[in-house]
Amino acid sequence: MDKIKEILIGTNNVGKYKEICDLLPKTVKKYSLKEFKISSPEETGNSFKENSFIKASYFSKKTNLICLSDDSGLKIDLLGGLPGIYSSRWSGEKNNFNLAIKKVFKEMQKAKEDWRSDDNKASFVCCLTIFWPNGKKFSSEGIINGKISPKKIGTNGFGYDPIFIPKGYKNTFGEMSPKLKMSIDHRYKAFLKIKNFF
Ligand code: ITT
């Protein structure tokens, strides 16, 4: 199998872009969507896998490059798996995660008044899809289980990191060093299944 030597990182999310670049070998040449000024397609799929495929195939076709896209999100048991594939949309158009986290707390409160007195199971899911200009594709999924922190803590990372405590740890992703987070998280677990392509 020919190893991938250059790839388009098909995301407009800066936090994800950084994490994906850090996971890939240094020797792989990485292109960003900024260089091509391409905006995202509509995510019309019903699963992380469908949406990551929609993005990877769209960006690959636009640029004629091999593309790696990520669709991910936070699933909260008490909310029946929401925000899930709607994780990005919960933050509103301006990607306001203060607002998205407030919405999580509000919905938790609505579902169970004293939710803060229990452990509230949640998981982060990531589906990575590689799409080649010749139509070949490969997807992999990674999951990390944990719980929702009763308070927003930490300023590292992005998105919902300040309210997610992975199983076996006391701190939120927002409190962890980026190095630790990227050695245990959903993206890393999905990456392990595609790493031989590089
Ligand atoms: P692209 O589609 O351009 O990649 P996006 O932000 O719209 O960017 P998604 O549709 O996959 O990406 O939405 C996933 C959302 O889930 C994202 O906005 C994050 O807020 C959240 N999320 C995913 N992985 C996360 C992580 O490791 N830490 C915190 N939040 C995460």
Side-chain angles (χ1 to χ4, degrees):
M1 182 179 72
D2 279 346
K3 298 279 184 187
I4 296 172
K5 297 199 179 63
E6 55 173 37
I7 196 157
L8 173 67
I9 315 295
T11 178
N12 279 306
N13 179 315
V14 179
K16 274 189 195 179
Y17 178 80
K18 205 184 161 308
E19 288 196 8
I20 294 169
C21 285
D22 287 346
L23 287 167
L24 289 166
K26 284 201 178 68
T27 49
V28 172
K29 165 110 181 92
K30 295 134 192 125
Y31 295 95
S32 79
L33 290 177
K34 270 198 199 138
E35 295 168 59
F36 295 91
K37 298 204 171 62
I38 309 173
S39 51
S40 300
E42 213 188 320
E43 295 183 20
T44 50
N46 289 314
S47 64
F48 294 109
K49 189 173 172 183
E50 280 176 21
N51 284 335
S52 70
F53 171 76
I54 288 170
K55 290 184 265 193
S57 56
Y58 177 84
F59 295 132
S60 171
K61 283 172 187 161
K62 286 260 175 198
T63 58
N64 215 27
L65 288 166
I66 303 172
C67 178
L68 169 60
S69 281
D70 164 312
D71 198 65
S72 44
L74 177 65
K75 292 173 75 174
I76 302 175
D77 281 16
L78 184 62
L79 304 184
L82 288 174
I85 61 167
Y86 308 105
S87 292
S88 174
R89 285 162 262 186
W90 266 35
S91 65
E93 270 173 27
K94 295 202 174 84
N95 255 318
N96 183 338
F97 277 89
N98 280 328
L99 219 75
I101 288 172
K102 274 203 183 120
K103 185 167 174 186
V104 166
F105 287 164
K106 201 171 125 205
E107 294 297 320
M108 305 272 291
Q109 186 92 22
K110 261 202 251 168
K112 199 165 161 234
E113 184 87 30
D114 64 341
W115 69 273
R116 284 189 168 85
S117 57
D118 279 331
D119 275 359
N120 285 279
K121 285 195 184 148
S123 55
F124 262 126
V125 181
C126 171
C127 184
L128 295 174
T129 295
I130 307 176
F131 191 95
W132 285 257
N134 67 7
K136 180 179 160 182
K137 57 181 195 265
F138 189 90
S139 297
S140 73
E141 197 165 88
I143 299 177
I144 181 161
N145 292 315
K147 61 183 182 187
I148 299 298
S149 164
K151 275 195 307 195
K152 181 175 168 238
I153 318 176
T155 53
N156 289 341
F158 64 99
Y160 299 94
D161 281 341
I163 58 164
F164 183 80
I165 303 174
K167 201 172 169 185
Y169 293 83
K170 289 205 165 62
N171 297 326
T172 66
F173 270 167
E175 294 175 282
M176 283 182 185
S177 70
K179 217 174 168 182
L180 175 57
K181 185 197 167 197
M182 70 169 272
S183 68
I184 60 171
D185 74 0
H186 47 314
R187 198 158 286 109
Y188 172 69
K189 289 181 175 174
F191 178 71
L192 286 182
K193 301 176 194 167
I194 59 165
K195 92 189 236 277
N196 286 341
F197 286 109
F198 300 95

